C-alpha cells in the first residue's frame, strides 16, 4: 500500500508523516517511511552543518551510482525519471544536477514500492515531485497536467495546505533554525512560497480526475489527533496489519481541517536506530546504508586526524623513535584487546538480543560482568608489564624501557573505552561509540604533543608521545562513559542483574583469541622488527602499515551497523534478509576501500615526503599492503558475520592459523629481504586468511560471500522481472 503526501513547503508533510508512521507501527502495521532528507539529531557533530552536508552529498552520489549500476533492475524507474526530466527540466544548472539525481533515486524507489506487501509512506511522493519540478522549471499548466498523468496512482493521497501568511512565518522560522550549510542547500523563502499556487492547481487537477484526496489544513493546532485517527481509519479500510488489502471506498474528495503541524513524536534517530527493534528488510537496508555512511564519515574524519597525528609524530621524533613508538603501541594494542577478554563482541551480540526479548536483568548482568572481569585483567597486565619493563631496564635502551612502562600502564584505559564503545553501539549509539576514539583520543594526543613542543620539553621522543596517548585514552574512556549514561534505557536502570557466565565465556574466549591473533597478524612485522632491535626499519614498516590500515575503515564503518543487526536477524532465523544484508555490506565495504585506495596508490611518494625524507623508502611497502587490503575488502565483513551467528570458534581457528602463518612468513621474509619481505608476507597472508573465511562461510554457514556473490545477489531482482 502506497501513501503519499503533497503540499507547499512548511505545511507539515514530514512532521505528519513521521507521526503517522509511528501511529501505524504502534497498531501492528509494517511501515517503511521514505523521507526526503535524513534526520540528524547529534548536534555534537553538527557545527555549521558541514557533516550533514557531507552526508547528503555522499549519500546522493553513492545511491545514484548504485542505481545506475543496475540498469536492468531499475529500467522502469530510470525511464520514468528520464521522461519527467525531459518534460520539465530545471532552468538553473545547479538545480538541474541536484534535482536530476533526486528524481532518479525517487523514481526507482517509487516503482519498487508498488510491489511491496507492506505500507510505504512518502513524505513527498510523485505528486510532490511534479510540483517541485514545476517550481524550478517554470512549467505551464498543460505541462504539469501531462506530468500528473504519468503517475502510477497511490492508494492514499494526502494534501496539506495552510494560509500563505502562516506558511511564510513557518518558513522564516525554519530558515532561522538551519545551519549555514543547510541554508546553502535550500531555496529562499520567496522561492518556497511560489510553490503554493502550483500545489493548488495540482489539487484542482486531481479533483477533476475524481482522485480520492484527504485534505488537511494545518491552521489550528488543536485537532492533530483527529487527523491521525481519520487517516488511520482510511488505512485500516484498505490494508490490514497482516498485509491483506481491502476493497477501496468510492472515489471522491474528503476534507478534514484543521491539523496541527507542531507534533513531535518519539522518532528513531542515528543514536537509537536498530537498538531494540527488528525493522523490515528494505528499511533495514536503507538504515544500514545511512548508518554506515555516517560511521564512514566519522571514521574517515578520524583517520584524517590520525594521519595528521602520525605526520606530527614522525616529523617530530624521527624514524628511530617512531619505530619505538610503533613497537610499544603494537604491544599495547595487542594486550588491551586481550584484557578486553573478547567481551566487546559479547556485548554487541547479547545486549541487543536481550533487549529485543525483554531480558533486561541479563542485559545489565552481561555489562557488569564484562567490565568487572576486563578491568581486573587489564590491571594485572599493567602491573606485570611495568614490572617486566623495569626488570629489563639494564638490557634495553632507556627510551624503550620507559616507553614500554607507559604503554603497559595504558592497557586498562584502552580496554575500558573499547568495552564502553561496544556497549554504546549495542544500545544504538553508532556515532557516540566511534567519535570519541576517532577524534578525542588522537586529537588530544596531538594537542598535548604540540604543547610539549611549544614549551620546549626535552627530549621529545617516543616516551613523550606515549604519555600523551595515555592521557588522551583516559579522557576518551570518560567521554564514552558519559555516552553510556546518556543512552542507558530506563529498563536497565531498574533491572536486577542476572548472570549467564557459561554462555558469555563460550563466546568470549574464542573472540579474545580471534581479536588477539588478528592484531598479532596485522602487527607481526612491527613486533618482529622491533624485537630484533631494528627500530628504524620498524618505523619504516609501521608507517606503511598505518597507511594501508586506513583502508580497513570502510569495513569497520559498515560493521558498526552490520553486527548488531546480524545478531537480530540470526535470532529471528531470517536467512534471506541476512544474506541480502551481507551482500550489500560487501559492496559498501569494497566501494569505500577502492575510493580510498586509488589516491593512496597514485600519491604514495608525495604523501610520504610530508613525513620526512627518511620515510620515502616506505612507498613500496605501503603500496604492497594497500593492494592486499583491496583484495581482502572484496570478501566483506566476514568476521562480523561469523561471530554474530555462532561460528566464533571457527573464525578464531581460521584467524589463529592465519596469524601463525603470518608470523612465520614475516620472520622468514625479514631474515632474507628485510622490510620488503615483511610487507609481502603480511599482504599475502591477509588475502589467504580472508579467502579461507569465505570458503568456510560458503560451506558451513550456507551463505555466499565476496564481491562476485554479492553481484549475483543483486542480479536476482532483475532476473525476477
Amino acid at each position: 500500500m502506497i501513501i503519499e503526501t503533497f503540499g507547499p513547503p512548511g505545511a507539515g508533510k514530514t512532521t505528519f508523516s513521521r507521526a503517522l508512521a509511528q501511529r501505524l507501527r504502534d497498531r501492528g502495521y509494517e511501515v517503511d517511511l521514505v523521507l526526503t532528507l535524513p534526520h540528524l539529531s547529534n548536534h555534537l557533530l553538527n557545527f555549521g552543518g558541514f557533516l550533514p552536508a557531507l552526508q547528503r552529498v555522499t549519500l546522493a552520489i553513492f545511491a545514484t551510482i548504485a542505481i545506475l549500476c543496475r540498469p536492468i533492475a531499475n529500467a522502469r524507474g530510470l525511464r520514468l525519471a528520464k521522461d519527467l526530466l525531459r518534460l520539465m527540466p530545471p532552468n538553473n544548472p545547479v538545480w538541474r544536477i541536484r534535482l536530476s539525481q533526486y528524481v532518479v533515486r525517487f523514481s526507482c524507489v517509487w516503482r519498487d514500492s508498488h510491489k511491496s506487501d507492506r505500507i510505504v509512506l512518502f513524505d513527498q511522493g510523485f505528486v510532490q515531485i511534479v510540483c517541485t519540478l514545476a517550481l524550478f522549471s517554470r512549467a505551464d499548466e498543460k505541462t504539469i497536467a501531462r506530468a500528473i498523468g504519468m503517475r502510477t496512482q497511490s492508494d492514499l493521497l494526502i494534501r496539506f495546505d495552510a494560509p500563505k501568511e502562516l506558511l511564510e512565518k513557518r518558513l522564516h522560522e525554519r530558515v532561522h533554525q538551519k545551519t549555514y550549510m543547510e541554508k546553502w542547500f535550500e531555496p529562499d523563502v520567496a522561492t518556497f512560497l511560489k510553490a503554493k499556487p502550483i500545489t493548488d492547481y495540482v489539487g484542482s487537477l486531481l479533483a477533476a480526475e475524481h482522485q480520492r484526496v484527504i485534505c488537511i489544513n494545518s491552521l489550528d493546532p488543536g485537532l492533530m489527533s483527529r487527523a491521525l485517527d481519520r487517516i488511520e481509519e482510511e488505512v485500516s479500510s484498505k490494508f490490514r496489519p497482516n498485509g491483506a488489502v481491502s476493497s477501496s471506498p468510492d472515489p471522491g474528495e474528503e476534507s478534514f481541517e484543521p491539523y496541527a503541524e507542531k507534533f513531535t513524536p518519539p522518532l528513531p534517530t542515528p543514536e537509537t536506530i536498530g537498538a531494540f527493534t527488528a525493522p523490515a528488510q528494505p528499511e533495514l537496508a536503507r538504515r544500514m546504508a545511512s548508518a554506515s555512511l555516517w560511521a564512514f564519515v566519522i571514521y574517515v574524519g578520524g583517520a584524517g586526524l590520525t594521519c595528521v597525528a602520525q605526520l606530527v609524530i614522525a616529523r617530530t621524533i624521527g624514524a628511530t623513535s617512531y619505530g619505538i613508538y610503533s613497537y610499544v603501541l603494537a604491544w599495547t594494542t595487542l594486550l588491551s584487546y586481550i584484557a578486553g577478554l573478547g567481551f566487546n563482541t559479547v556485548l554487541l551480540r547479547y545486549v541487543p538480543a536481550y533487549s529485543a526479548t525483554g531480558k533486561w536483568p541479563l542485559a545489565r548482568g552481561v555489562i557488569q560482568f564484562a567490565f568487572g572481569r576486563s578491568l581486573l585483567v587489564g590491571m594485572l597486565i599493567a602491573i606485570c608489564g611495568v614490572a617486566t619493563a623495569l626488570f629489563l631496564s639494564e638490557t634495553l635502551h632507556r627510551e624503550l624501557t620507559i616507553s614500554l612502562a607507559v604503554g603497559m600502564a595504558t592497557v586498562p584505559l584502552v580496554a575500558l573505552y573499547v568495552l564502553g564503545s561496544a556497549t554504546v553501539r549495542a544500545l544504538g549509539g553508532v556515532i557516540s561509540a566511534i567519535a570519541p576514539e576517532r577524534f578525542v583520543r588522537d586529537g588530544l594526543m596531538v594537542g598535548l604533543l604540540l604543547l610539549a613542543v611549544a614549551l620546549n620539553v626535552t627530549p621529545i621522543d617516543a616516551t613523550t608521545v606515549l604519555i600523551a596517548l595515555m592521557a588522551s585514552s583516559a579522557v576518551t574512556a570518560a567521554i564514552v562513559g558519559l555516552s553510556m549514561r546518556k543512552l542507558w534505557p530506563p529498563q536497565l536502570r531498574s533491572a536486577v542483574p542476572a548472570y549467564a557466565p557459561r554462555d558469555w565465556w563460550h563466546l568470549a574466549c574464542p573472540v579474545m583469541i580471534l581479536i588477539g591473533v588478528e592484531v598479532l597478524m596485522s602487527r607481526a612485522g612491527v613486533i618482529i622488527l622491533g624485537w630484533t632491535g631494528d627500530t628504524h626499519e620498524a618505523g619504516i614498516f609501521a608507517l606503511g602499515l598505518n597507511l594501508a590500515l586506513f583502508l580497513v575503515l570502510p569495513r569497520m564503518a559498515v560493521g558498526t551497523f552490520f553486527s548488531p543487526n546480524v545478531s537480530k536477524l540470526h535470532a529471528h532465523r531470517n536467512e534471506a534478509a541476512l544474506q541480502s544484508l551481507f551482500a550489500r555490506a560487501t559492496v559498501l565495504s569494497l566501494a569505500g576501500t577502492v575510493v580510498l585506495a586509488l589516491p593512496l596508490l597514485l600519491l604514495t611518494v608525495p604523501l610520504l615526503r610530508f613525513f620526512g625524507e627518511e620515510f620515502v623508502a616506505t612507498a613500496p611497502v605501503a603500496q604492497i599492503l594497500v593492494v592486499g587490503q583491496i583484495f581482502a575488502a572484496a570478501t566483506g565483513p566476514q568476521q562480523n558475520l561469523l561471530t554474530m551467528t555462532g561460528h566464533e570458534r571457527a573464525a578464531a581457528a581460521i584467524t589463529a592459523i592465519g596469524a601463525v602463518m603470518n608470523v612465520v612468513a614475516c620472520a622468514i621474509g625479514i631474515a632474507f629481504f628485510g622490510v620488503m619481505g615483511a610487507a609481502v608476507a603480511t599482504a599475502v597472508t591477509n588475502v589467504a586468511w580472508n579467502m579461507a573465511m569465505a570458503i568456510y562461510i560458503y560451506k558451513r554457514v550456507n551463505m555466499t560471500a565476496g564481491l562476485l556473490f554479492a553481484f549475483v545477489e543483486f542480479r536476482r531482482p532483475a532476473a525476477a522481472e
Side-chain angles (χ1 to χ4, degrees):
M1 179 180 182
I2 308 297
I3 304 175
E4 66 168 315
T5 68
F6 79 100
K13 303 181 293 296
T14 301
T15 304
F16 186 86
S17 297
R18 287 173 172 153
L20 178 60
Q22 187 68 35
R23 171 75 70 90
L24 295 176
R25 287 167 180 161
D26 292 342
R27 300 296 187 270
Y29 294 93
E30 294 185 16
V31 182
D32 290 342
L33 177 59
V34 182
L35 295 175
T36 308
L37 295 175
H39 177 67
L40 178 73
S41 65
N42 195 328
H43 300 286
L44 175 66
L45 302 172
N46 198 23
F47 298 118
F50 289 97
L51 282 178
L54 179 61
Q55 181 197 25
R56 288 178 61 174
V57 173
T58 309
L59 180 61
I61 293 173
F62 274 88
T64 305
I65 292 175
I67 289 172
L68 296 177
C69 287
R70 301 176 61 204
I72 299 177
N74 297 309
R76 288 187 291 179
L78 292 172
R79 191 179 305 115
L80 175 62
K82 182 190 70 174
D83 294 341
L84 281 173
L85 292 169
R86 181 177 296 174
L87 184 63
M88 293 187 293
N91 296 323
N92 187 293
V94 175
W95 279 101
R96 178 176 297 184
I97 295 173
R98 291 182 57 186
L99 288 178
S100 295
Q101 58 85 20
Y102 176 66
V103 171
V104 167
R105 290 187 288 129
F106 168 81
S107 299
C108 293
V109 174
W110 178 260
R111 286 291 189 183
D112 292 340
S113 299
H114 286 78
K115 308 171 188 176
S116 178
D117 58 351
R118 58 175 55 85
I119 298 173
V120 183
L121 174 57
F122 290 85
D123 74 323
Q124 297 189 27
F126 186 92
V127 176
Q128 187 65 40
I129 287 290
V130 172
C131 295
T132 301
L133 287 174
L135 174 64
F136 288 96
S137 65
R138 299 177 184 176
D140 56 23
E141 294 182 352
K142 183 177 179 181
T143 303
I144 296 174
R146 285 182 58 192
I148 291 293
M150 295 165 57
R151 79 189 189 282
T152 303
Q153 289 192 3
S154 56
D155 298 285
L156 186 59
L157 183 59
I158 306 172
R159 179 186 174 188
F160 290 83
D161 200 7
K164 182 178 179 181
E165 295 76 14
L166 180 60
L167 292 175
E168 185 173 6
K169 178 182 177 182
R170 290 176 178 171
L171 289 171
H172 278 295
E173 291 176 353
R174 191 163 78 180
V175 170
H176 181 71
Q177 295 172 356
K178 296 287 187 181
T179 62
Y180 172 78
M181 291 300 297
E182 288 175 314
K183 291 178 183 178
W184 189 83
F185 274 96
E186 298 291 339
D188 55 23
V189 174
T191 303
F192 272 137
L193 291 175
K194 293 178 183 178
K196 180 171 171 51
I198 298 175
T199 57
D200 291 341
Y201 173 68
V202 170
S204 65
L205 282 178
L206 295 173
E209 294 179 2
H210 302 290
Q211 166 75 51
R212 182 175 178 81
V213 181
I214 294 180
C215 298
I216 300 177
N217 193 315
S218 55
L219 177 63
D220 185 352
L223 297 177
M224 180 274 301
S225 296
R226 286 180 54 194
L228 287 173
D229 292 340
R230 186 68 188 91
I231 302 297
E232 184 183 345
E233 292 176 7
E234 287 289 326
V235 172
S236 62
S237 68
K238 294 173 175 284
F239 197 89
R240 299 188 181 94
N242 61 3
V245 180
S246 304
S247 59
S248 301
D250 295 334
E253 180 167 347
E254 181 169 336
S255 296
F256 187 92
E257 48 185 52
Y259 149 73
E261 180 190 359
K262 302 297 184 180
F263 174 77
T264 308
L267 300 174
T269 70
E271 290 294 324
T272 59
I273 279 178
F276 306 122
T277 59
Q281 181 181 343
E283 186 173 357
L284 182 61
R286 285 194 299 272
R287 287 181 179 180
M288 186 186 72
S290 179
S292 298
L293 175 63
W294 260 112
F296 181 65
V297 169
I298 301 299
Y299 275 123
V300 170
L305 183 59
T306 301
C307 186
V308 172
Q310 298 302 313
L311 173 62
V312 173
I313 293 170
R315 291 190 65 91
T316 303
I317 65 178
T320 301
S321 290
Y322 186 79
I324 294 175
Y325 159 75
S326 301
Y327 175 65
V328 174
L329 183 62
W331 278 111
T332 302
T333 304
L334 175 62
L335 295 175
S336 297
Y337 279 104
I338 292 177
L341 300 173
F343 279 113
N344 54 328
T345 302
V346 172
L347 292 170
L348 280 173
R349 178 171 174 179
Y350 281 106
V351 171
Y354 289 151
S355 302
T357 55
K359 298 177 181 179
W360 298 104
L362 284 171
R364 180 163 186 171
V366 69
I367 294 173
Q368 291 187 356
F369 189 87
F371 275 87
R373 271 61 180 178
S374 179
L375 182 59
L376 176 62
V377 174
M379 293 300 297
L380 290 175
I381 290 176
I383 293 171
C384 295
V386 171
T388 302
L390 295 178
F391 178 77
L392 297 175
S393 59
E394 294 183 359
T395 59
L396 298 178
H397 189 272
R398 181 177 182 276
E399 181 183 355
L400 179 57
T401 301
I402 301 176
S403 297
L404 280 171
V406 174
M408 295 303 102
T410 310
V411 166
L413 296 173
V414 177
L416 279 179
Y417 74 65
V418 167
L419 289 187
S421 297
T423 306
V424 172
R425 282 174 58 189
L427 295 175
V430 174
I431 296 175
S432 297
I434 60 180
E437 181 181 359
R438 290 288 150 183
F439 287 103
V440 177
R441 186 194 65 183
D442 291 339
L444 183 57
M445 180 179 68
V446 172
L448 292 174
L449 181 60
L450 292 177
L451 180 62
V453 173
L455 296 177
N456 293 320
V457 176
T458 54
I460 302 295
D461 55 13
T463 302
T464 311
V465 178
L466 288 164
I467 291 174
L469 177 63
M470 182 171 64
S472 62
S473 297
V475 174
T476 301
I479 293 176
V480 170
L482 292 176
S483 298
M484 284 178 55
R485 183 177 180 181
K486 177 183 176 181
L487 294 172
W488 202 264
Q491 298 92 329
L492 276 179
R493 298 181 190 276
S494 58
V496 178
Y499 300 95
R502 180 176 298 179
D503 293 339
W504 303 336
W505 282 119
H506 182 78
L507 172 62
C509 289
V511 168
M512 177 181 64
I513 299 172
L514 178 69
I515 297 176
V517 296
E518 183 182 0
V519 174
L520 179 61
M521 183 163 61
S522 64
R523 300 287 176 176
V526 177
I527 292 175
I528 294 174
L529 285 168
W531 190 274
T532 60
D534 195 347
T535 54
H536 184 274
E537 290 295 303
I540 296 294
F541 179 82
L543 184 58
L545 181 64
N546 289 334
L547 291 177
L549 290 179
F550 187 70
L551 304 184
V552 180
L553 297 179
R555 276 178 283 171
M556 296 175 64
V558 172
T560 55
F561 189 80
F562 179 71
S563 295
N565 285 285
V566 168
S567 177
K568 295 174 191 175
L569 294 175
H570 180 65
H572 289 86
R573 301 185 183 278
N574 194 343
E575 295 182 0
L578 182 57
Q579 171 69 83
S580 179
L581 192 68
F582 181 54
R584 285 164 172 79
T586 301
V587 171
L588 286 172
S589 300
L590 181 60
T593 301
V594 171
V595 167
L596 296 178
L598 289 178
L600 198 58
L601 288 172
L602 296 175
L603 302 174
T604 308
V605 174
L607 178 63
L608 290 172
R609 291 190 187 278
F610 284 104
F611 292 86
E613 288 296 328
E614 58 184 335
F615 288 105
V616 174
T618 308
V621 173
Q623 290 168 341
I624 292 171
L625 296 172
V626 164
V627 172
Q629 290 293 340
I630 295 174
F631 280 101
T635 58
Q638 299 180 123
Q639 270 190 285
N640 304 73
L641 178 67
L642 289 174
T643 54
M644 293 293 116
T645 55
H647 295 271
E648 61 279 349
R649 292 181 179 273
I654 295 172
T655 307
I657 295 172
V660 172
M661 291 175 56
N662 189 40
V663 170
V664 174
C666 282
I668 296 174
I670 290 171
F672 288 95
F673 304 103
V675 68
M676 287 297 295
V680 173
T682 302
V684 171
T685 52
N686 188 24
V687 173
W689 167 55
N690 280 277
M691 290 302 298
M693 281 197 293
I695 295 171
Y696 179 87
I697 289 172
Y698 179 72
K699 291 188 174 181
R700 297 298 179 89
V701 188
N702 296 321
M703 189 166 296
T704 53
L707 180 62
L708 176 61
F709 304 128
F711 176 77
V712 173
E713 175 69 17
F714 290 147
R715 293 284 296 174
R716 286 176 184 171
E721 293 185 3

